Amino acid sequence: MEAKQPDPVEFRDGQRQQWNAAATGWRKWSELIDGAASGVSGRLVELAGVEPGSRVLDVAAGYGEPSLTAARTAGPDGSVVATDISAEMIAFGRERAAAAGLENIEFVESDAVGLDFAEASFDAALSRWGIIFDPDGEAAAARVRGFLKPGARMAISAWGSPERVPFLAIPMRTAMQRLDVAPPPPGTPGPLSRPSPEALGGLLGAAGFSDLEVEETEVTFEWRSPEEFTTFVKEIAPPIRAIIDPHPQEVQDETWAAITDAIRGEAADDGAVRLSNLALLAVGRA
């Protein structure tokens, strides 16, 4: 039997609430996230062909990446429009842009399929671990393609297969096993929903992009202890919170403790947890 797909409107409403709630955690952990993931932002900007004077669209920009990276590259003669479904994440992005002295970014609160810009009005488009959360990523990407000038490129990223993404897979697997929760149906939107070059490149291909290319990179996070790792995941990862939060508080506490125990085996002699994770980057031409 074919798995039932989520209602797009309900799914996006739930995501909006989850990411609004997670914005506080992203404020707290933004320096750690930036330190690990800045290379992905930079490479996406390169793949999309952003250069001085470019007008760039960043879809599901969250707290402002790769928007800020693109704004620095586009320079004062260029501009970036950063969009996201979460008002709280967008507010944090504005704060980050102001603190960085970047005046060439406009932040727009919108889901990906609700975007409305003039045809062929952008030189490049980006989405770092963003459009993969949309319940109809192909339709969202196709909409973005219409906003791009002919020949312009869109560059997006996703996480690889679960066994190569331990910072998400270990807590997710631990929670599902402990709470007897079945894995989501294949293709369910989320951080691990496009885990192969074929799946990620196929998103752009189905949206009408051509000259598709997919490459791999590693993203390494480091935490001072297993306990800090668990706090990080609890505060920045809505998909994992969504598994645990519906349960009674005692069960929630036991599950988070089990995640800490599960990650303890990854800790180094100094107690630090260093996890290397596979990221996929895809680019296509409009």
Side-chain angles (χ1 to χ4, degrees):
M1 178 180 291
E2 184 177 350
K4 182 180 178 182
Q5 295 301 307
D7 176 79
V9 175
E10 292 181 5
F11 194 86
R12 292 187 185 101
D13 285 345
Q15 286 191 327
R16 184 179 292 107
Q17 295 172 19
Q18 291 171 3
W19 288 104
N20 278 337
T24 299
W26 280 74
R27 288 173 185 267
K28 174 180 174 180
W29 296 102
S30 60
E31 186 173 340
L32 185 151
I33 296 167
D34 285 344
S38 60
V40 173
S41 288
R43 184 58 179 150
L44 289 174
V45 168
E46 291 176 358
L47 289 171
V50 179
E51 57 188 14
S54 291
R55 178 167 162 79
V56 184
L57 176 63
D58 186 3
V59 180
Y63 73 138
E65 280 296 344
S67 300
L68 273 69
T69 301
R72 293 185 181 97
T73 302
D77 293 330
S79 62
V80 176
V81 178
T83 72
D84 197 82
I85 197 171
S86 164
E88 295 297 327
M89 293 291 276
I90 282 285
F92 183 34
R94 287 194 183 100
E95 291 176 19
R96 285 164 50 86
L102 295 169
E103 299 180 351
N104 59 340
I105 305 181
E106 175 189 0
F107 289 88
V108 176
E109 181 187 345
S110 175
D111 57 43
V113 295
L115 297 175
D116 188 16
F117 299 102
E119 184 177 347
S121 58
F122 288 93
D123 300 297
L126 306 162
S127 187
R128 192 186 83 171
W129 299 303
I131 202 168
I132 59 172
F133 281 85
D134 193 277
D136 194 349
E138 288 80 2
R143 190 165 182 80
V144 171
R145 184 171 62 86
F147 306 143
L148 292 174
K149 295 176 181 177
R153 286 174 283 173
M154 182 175 191
I156 64 177
S157 69
W159 294 108
S161 56
E163 66 272 11
R164 297 287 303 278
V165 189
F167 95 101
L168 289 173
I170 292 175
M172 197 170 288
R173 181 175 63 245
T174 301
M176 289 191 296
Q177 290 176 346
R178 188 170 188 87
L179 300 172
D180 195 24
V181 174
T188 299
L192 299 173
S193 62
R194 308 279 180 166
S196 68
E198 295 76 17
L200 187 61
L203 187 159
L204 292 178
F209 287 89
S210 61
D211 299 334
L212 303 175
E213 297 179 11
V214 183
E215 63 185 48
E216 298 182 355
T217 190
E218 294 287 330
V219 177
T220 301
F221 293 98
E222 180 173 340
W223 302 268
R224 289 174 294 185
S225 66
E227 289 77 12
E228 184 177 77
F229 168 85
T230 299
T231 301
F232 172 85
V233 171
K234 188 175 185 179
E235 293 178 346
I236 67 100
I240 297 172
R241 288 288 301 266
I243 297 171
I244 299 173
D245 283 357
H247 297 270
Q249 187 62 53
E250 181 180 358
V251 176
Q252 292 183 39
D253 294 342
E254 292 171 351
T255 304
W256 289 114
I259 289 171
T260 302
D261 289 341
I263 211 68
R264 204 177 300 281
E266 305 292 332
D269 291 342
D270 62 359
V273 177
R274 303 176 185 89
L275 298 178
S276 183
N277 305 274
L278 175 65
L280 304 174
L281 288 72
V283 61
R285 192 177 300 276

